């Protein structure tokens, strides 16, 4: 009986260690996402505008960008405010799309 009790105590001890590591890892990912979105927001903003405008035959602009990991967890949410798409060349005077707010949720693992 003493060996069963010792094995149970060891199992609980290992389980606590595993849960502590998993919790710390989760916390690290959440903190890293906040840090990255705060420290690199200007670079992320510039890269998103550059890629959108490179891929489309239109000029895309917006006033502000925000990234969130918590609002649609485990997806990453991209929010663009005052989103505007204006045509180029023969459509240069045409507003193709104008939105007060644009939200897009993407799987976190697809982003990474």
């Amino acid at each position: 009986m003493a060996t069963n009790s010792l094995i149970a105590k060891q199992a609980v001890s290992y389980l606590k260690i595993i849960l502590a590591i998993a919790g710390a890892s989760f916390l690290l990912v959440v903190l890293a996402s906040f840090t990255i979105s705060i420290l690199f927001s200007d670079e992320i903003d510039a890269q998103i505008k550059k890629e959108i405008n490179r891929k489309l035959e239109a000029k895309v602009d917006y006033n502000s960008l925000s990234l969130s990991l918590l609002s649609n967890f485990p997806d990453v949410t991209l929010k663009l405010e005052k989103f505007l798409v204006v045509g180029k060349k023969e459509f240069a005077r045409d507003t193709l799309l104008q939105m007060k707010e644009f939200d897009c949720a993407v799987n976190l693992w697809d982003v990474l």
Side-chain angles (χ1 to χ4, degrees), residues 46-60:
Q47 188 66 26
I48 288 174
K49 280 186 180 179
K50 177 183 165 189
E51 286 300 314
I52 289 174
N53 285 314
R54 186 175 67 85
K55 300 243 181 199
L56 296 177
E57 285 292 325
K59 178 163 178 14
V60 177

Side-chain angles (χ1 to χ4, degrees), residues 41-110:
S41 63
D42 292 338
E43 290 85 359
I44 292 169
D45 185 27
Q47 188 66 26
I48 288 174
K49 280 186 180 179
K50 177 183 165 189
E51 286 300 314
I52 289 174
N53 285 314
R54 186 175 67 85
K55 300 243 181 199
L56 296 177
E57 285 292 325
K59 178 163 178 14
V60 177
D61 199 14
Y62 49 86
N63 282 358
S64 68
L65 170 134
S66 64
L67 293 171
S68 174
L69 234 166
L70 299 178
S71 62
N72 289 318
F73 188 79
D75 295 339
V76 176
T77 303
L78 171 70
K79 181 182 198 179
L80 305 173
E81 292 184 6
K82 295 187 180 176
F83 186 69
L84 178 67
V85 180
V86 178
K88 288 183 180 177
K89 298 179 183 173
E90 65 267 10
F91 300 106
R93 295 182 182 175
D94 295 333
T95 299
L96 303 174
L97 178 67
Q98 184 173 5
M99 301 172 91
K100 181 180 177 183
E101 186 176 283
F102 175 77
D103 290 342
C104 178
V106 181
N107 186 316
L108 176 63
W109 300 116
D110 291 342

Side-chain angles (χ1 to χ4, degrees), residues 12-28:
V12 169
S13 176
Y14 288 136
L15 183 60
K16 285 181 182 179
I17 291 170
I18 290 170
L19 289 175
I21 291 171
S25 298
F26 177 74
L27 185 62
L28 182 65

